[in-house]
Amino acid sequence: MRRNPVRTELRIRRVPPNPTRRWLKYAANTITAANLSLGLLSVLLSSMHLFHWAAVALMVAVLFDRLDGSTARRLGIASDFGRELDSLSDLVSFGVAPALLVYTQVYMEHLPLVGGALSMVYVLCGALRLARYNVQRFSGGFLGVPITFAGGVLGLLSFVSRDVHLLGFAAAEILLSALMVSKIPIKKF
Amino acid sequence: MRRNPVRTELRIRRVPPNPTRRWLKYAANTITAANLSLGLLSVLLSSMHLFHWAAVALMVAVLFDRLDGSTARRLGIASDFGRELDSLSDLVSFGVAPALLVYTQVYMEHLPLVGGALSMVYVLCGALRLARYNVQRFSGGFLGVPITFAGGVLGLLSFVSRDVHLLGFAAAEILLSALMVSKIPIKKF
């Protein structure tokens, strides 16, 4: 009676929806969604020329990004869906948001065309870095500077922008773009 | 002599480092990169309040997006890297770019807080749609309205915005967000 292995498997599979684990999985994805929302908030604040607040939103997003991945991995609830959502959020929060922040705050007035090109290069390099990371894993770390670090640095520079020259921003953006697509091995910490 | 079908297949596989195929693969990824660049261009134009041009950039990005995936699949050069890059580009070009366009053109002045929330919901739903698409394929089509379509509709509405009321934008954004995360089966065309 009901010894059919397929049936047994179905019954075994029905047990796992452990409510705590499922809740934690949602929690990790909710943190990722918060990261994305902060990134978009930073974009909207930059478009309203509220640069200091845009930089703050970006830096809070860095903290959220540190939380979600490590939480998911430590709890053993990392999922493909979570990883995809994380990459997508990272490109918005640490690619588009800092690029727009630096563009509206620094380049728009004094260097609109070259600044636009630099912003595009930065976002493109960030996307290439994320796409490569998703298909080519390197055990115990990754290749190239992570986009979260690059976005955090630009956010910080924007926050202290009174002391940074326009060319300082341009140099930082070029350097960070190159470091993201580089093959320098970086340890996870 | 060499009538074994497996051998034949192996011989076919050994040929590939075909310069044309490799070139085509780069071409498909270059089209994706152009899509992303147009998306970021649209973001920068929105931040400069050049709404018509931002909408044009967005609609050109829709054409590029139609090109790359179908080209890659038709030529049999679809790669995981290409797919990842495509998703990332789509979120910028058809998630963030139209959300910022509608925000800066329509909401910012008359509905800043609610409009900001609507923009966030739209981008979040777009990201969930893309992350789900990448992990859960449905043969011969997909579940939920694609983000490219949603972004294209918002770009078009922005382009003819003189005839669209603020509430029309809000309704369109809510409806498109819901359709993206819905499980309505959509045929590929």
Side-chain angles (χ1 to χ4, degrees), chain A residues 42-64:
Chain A
S42 172
V43 165
L44 298 181
L45 290 167
S46 288
S47 78
M48 297 165 93
H49 291 213
L50 299 168
F51 307 125
H52 259 58
W53 288 111
V56 169
L58 205 164
M59 288 186 287
V60 178
V62 173
L63 296 181
F64 273 73

Side-chain angles (χ1 to χ4, degrees), chain A residues 7 34 38 66 71 76 80 90 99 103-104 121 134 171 177-178 186:
Chain A
R7 282 225 158 152
L38 282 161
R66 295 290 315 153
T71 310
D80 284 340
D90 284 356
Y103 187 80
T104 46
V121 168
N134 278 4
S177 302
I186 309 265

Side-chain angles (χ1 to χ4, degrees), chain B residues 37-185:
Chain B
S37 302
L38 282 161
L40 195 76
L41 181 64
S42 172
V43 165
L44 298 182
L45 290 167
S46 289
S47 78
M48 297 164 93
H49 292 213
L50 298 168
F51 306 125
H52 260 58
W53 289 110
V56 169
L58 205 163
M59 289 187 286
V60 178
V62 173
L63 297 181
F64 273 73
D65 189 57
R66 296 289 317 151
L67 259 178
D68 67 355
S70 61
T71 310
R73 274 188 302 273
R74 207 166 297 162
L75 296 169
I77 49 165
S79 67
D80 284 339
F81 177 83
R83 259 189 292 270
E84 291 289 340
L85 195 61
D86 198 37
S87 279
L88 290 163
S89 304
D90 285 356
L91 186 64
V92 174
S93 298
F94 313 119
V96 179
L100 185 67
L101 175 56
V102 172
Y103 187 79
T104 46
Q105 187 182 16
V106 186
Y107 299 147
M108 202 197 257
E109 209 177 326
H110 307 289
L111 205 68
L113 289 182
V114 178
L118 286 180
S119 309
M120 271 182 206
V121 167
Y122 174 79
V123 174
L124 268 176
C125 289
L128 291 174
R129 167 71 175 72
L130 286 167
R132 190 181 63 186
Y133 175 69
N134 278 4
V135 296
Q136 174 192 68
R137 266 146 220 268
F138 166 72
S139 64
F142 23 68
L143 296 175
V145 165
I147 192 170
T148 312
F149 177 82
V153 169
L154 289 181
L156 210 63
L157 280 181
S158 153
F159 198 75
V160 298
S161 62
R162 282 197 183 175
D163 309 316
V164 185
H165 191 265
L166 173 119
L167 292 180
F169 277 100
E173 215 160 24
I174 293 170
L175 182 67
L176 290 168
S177 302
L179 287 175
M180 282 194 289
V181 292
S182 74
K183 297 206 169 168
I184 300 169

